[in-house]
Amino acid sequence: MNSLTPILSTVTASFLGSFVEVVEAFTIVLAVGVTRSWRPALTGAALALAVLAAFVLIFGPLLALVPIETLQFVVGVLLILFGMRWLRKAILRSLGVIALHDEEAAFSKETASLQAQSADRRADYLAGLAAFKAVLLEGVEVVFIVVAVGGAHGLTLYAGLGALAAFILVMLIGLLVHRPLATVPENTLKFAVGLMLTSFGIFWTGEGIGAQWPGADLSLIAIFAIVSLASYAILRGLRGSAGTPTAKAAQ
């Protein structure tokens, strides 16, 4: 159980985080393919994946040169910041302070933009560039998630498998339904990923400064439970006293 806990938590965090990012990239690529043609859409996406692969091949081996304690501390702090950013946005979306991310709206917006450029002689280039930017920007976040949740304990392979599973699942669903994945509860996923990344960050930051966690890797479960309860309490507290922000957002 001790050895399975970090593997399962790593794969799950990587899968959920990557799933959200891949859905967002897929929406733009789908809009390009449907509105313009699949050639610039797939070309732009393929080029972005090549850039990301080169990035991983060049900088990935450098992690082995960093002392494990330093790596755990740095990655832990970054994960806490990254995870709390996702939690903050998920809580604000739940309260209605900021709008929920709508893949249908994103698809429609990108489609309208591409249609407006259709008369431009560079239309194929601009369409391919849109697909390239979407895949590259979301892909960078996927790479960060994979390296962050897997690098500190030498579980990058498992984190990569989680991300790959997310990519394959989104592609299969997208090809079958041939539409934006608007039914995905993205805010719920982001909330869960925020909890997991923050929990990983606390655990690895502690290890980086030499803390001895009770139960070793099993303490991840306890940390996750505490972070979840604290976040839920904050959400309930804000929801109870934030009638005004929600009302303002509705107006």
Side-chain angles (χ1 to χ4, degrees):
M1 180 66 181
N2 241 28
S3 58
L4 280 178
T5 299
I7 293 175
L8 291 175
S9 55
T10 294
V11 172
T12 304
S14 179
F15 174 82
L16 293 177
S18 301
F19 190 89
V20 172
E21 304 300 342
V22 175
V23 165
E24 294 181 3
F26 176 81
T27 299
I28 305 302
V29 174
L30 180 63
V32 173
V34 170
T35 306
R36 189 63 191 171
S37 75
W38 286 104
R39 182 177 179 180
L42 296 178
T43 300
L47 287 174
L49 290 174
V51 171
L52 289 170
F55 178 81
V56 172
L57 289 174
I58 293 172
F59 294 102
L62 296 179
L63 292 177
L65 303 178
V66 182
I68 186 62
E69 292 81 8
T70 303
L71 183 63
Q72 287 174 331
F73 179 78
V74 173
V75 169
V77 171
L78 289 175
L79 278 180
I80 291 174
L81 296 175
F82 198 61
M84 291 184 71
R85 171 173 164 265
W86 279 39
L87 279 177
R88 173 181 169 275
K89 287 188 174 181
I91 289 173
L92 290 177
R93 287 193 179 100
S94 296
L95 294 172
V97 177
I98 58 178
L100 289 169
H101 188 81
D102 187 341
E103 292 302 330
E104 288 280 9
F107 180 80
S108 299
K109 180 180 178 182
E110 188 64 29
T111 298
S113 175
L114 290 166
Q115 287 174 340
Q117 298 169 353
S118 60
D120 194 319
R121 289 182 298 178
R122 303 173 301 160
D124 279 350
Y125 166 76
L126 294 174
L129 184 61
F132 174 83
K133 288 193 297 183
V135 174
L136 185 64
L137 292 176
E138 304 301 339
V140 166
E141 294 213 34
V142 171
V143 169
F144 173 79
I145 291 171
V146 169
V147 171
V149 302
H153 267 193
L155 298 175
T156 305
L157 174 61
Y158 292 101
L161 291 175
L164 180 61
F167 175 80
I168 293 173
L169 181 60
V170 171
M171 291 301 106
L172 288 176
I173 296 175
L175 291 173
L176 287 174
V177 301
H178 204 64
R179 61 188 291 272
L181 302 178
T183 56
V184 174
E186 186 171 329
N187 200 54
T188 303
L189 285 176
K190 286 188 173 181
F191 191 80
V193 174
L195 292 174
M196 298 192 75
L197 295 184
T198 303
S199 302
F200 270 109
I202 294 171
F203 180 78
W204 285 334
T205 301
E207 286 204 333
I209 60 177
Q212 299 294 320
W213 293 106
D217 292 330
L218 287 175
S219 61
L220 264 172
I221 298 173
I223 295 171
F224 179 79
I226 293 170
V227 173
S228 299
L229 289 173
S231 299
Y232 181 70
I234 291 171
L235 178 58
R236 284 292 300 271
L238 290 174
R239 185 169 286 164
S241 61
T244 303
T246 306
K248 286 182 179 178
Q251 294 171 0

